[in-house]
Amino acid sequence: MDKLEKYRQFVRQILSSHAEIATTADTVNAELIFDREHDHYQLAYVGWQGDKRVFGPVMHFDIIDGKIWIQYNGTEASVAERLVEMGVPTSDIVIGFHSAFKRQFTPYGNG
């Protein structure tokens, strides 16, 4: 399996595992969005809690130029550390929700 396909599989695995534990409300669904053509991957909540609308991303990843960009992480889980545990080199992980200036101070790639 080539690197890109492995990275796609790792991202889908992380999102899928979070979707399984994401919500306990029967009226709020965890939706997995996998766009393999453009390499965008997201977990979002969609539904209602009483009369309040619930809609928004929980996690969002992109794969850009052979690197996994963590664009959003609305959980307390360290998905970058999980990717490293799966075998992704730190240089292939970009914390996309940090500015380029801030990224240089992380142990991960700059993009």
Side-chain angles (χ1 to χ4, degrees), residues 6-111:
K6 269 200 264 188
Y7 287 3
R8 287 173 174 152
Q9 180 181 349
F10 293 161
V11 167
R12 289 191 311 260
Q13 185 178 339
I14 289 171
L15 292 172
S16 296
S17 67
H18 278 277
E20 290 176 14
I21 60 169
T23 180
T24 57
D26 290 337
T27 57
V28 177
N29 296 315
E31 292 191 359
L32 293 167
I33 304 159
F34 298 155
D35 176 0
R36 284 189 47 147
E37 183 179 345
H38 300 101
D39 280 319
H40 304 298
Y41 304 89
Q42 187 175 90
L43 168 63
Y45 289 149
V46 179
W48 291 89
Q49 283 184 326
D51 60 352
K52 182 180 177 200
R53 178 71 172 154
V54 176
F55 180 84
V58 179
M59 288 184 186
H60 182 100
F61 297 85
D62 291 322
I63 299 175
I64 303 169
D65 296 328
K67 296 184 179 191
I68 299 173
W69 284 68
I70 303 169
Q71 301 289 20
Y72 181 73
N73 181 6
T75 73
E76 293 183 11
S78 176
V79 292
E81 287 178 18
R82 176 114 184 261
L83 288 166
V84 170
E85 291 168 2
M86 295 170 127
V88 178
T90 57
S91 59
D92 281 358
I93 301 168
V94 179
I95 311 299
F97 55 84
H98 287 318
S99 69
F101 174 77
K102 206 175 202 183
R103 286 195 299 262
Q104 68 181 324
F105 302 111
T106 73
Y108 302 105
N110 287 324

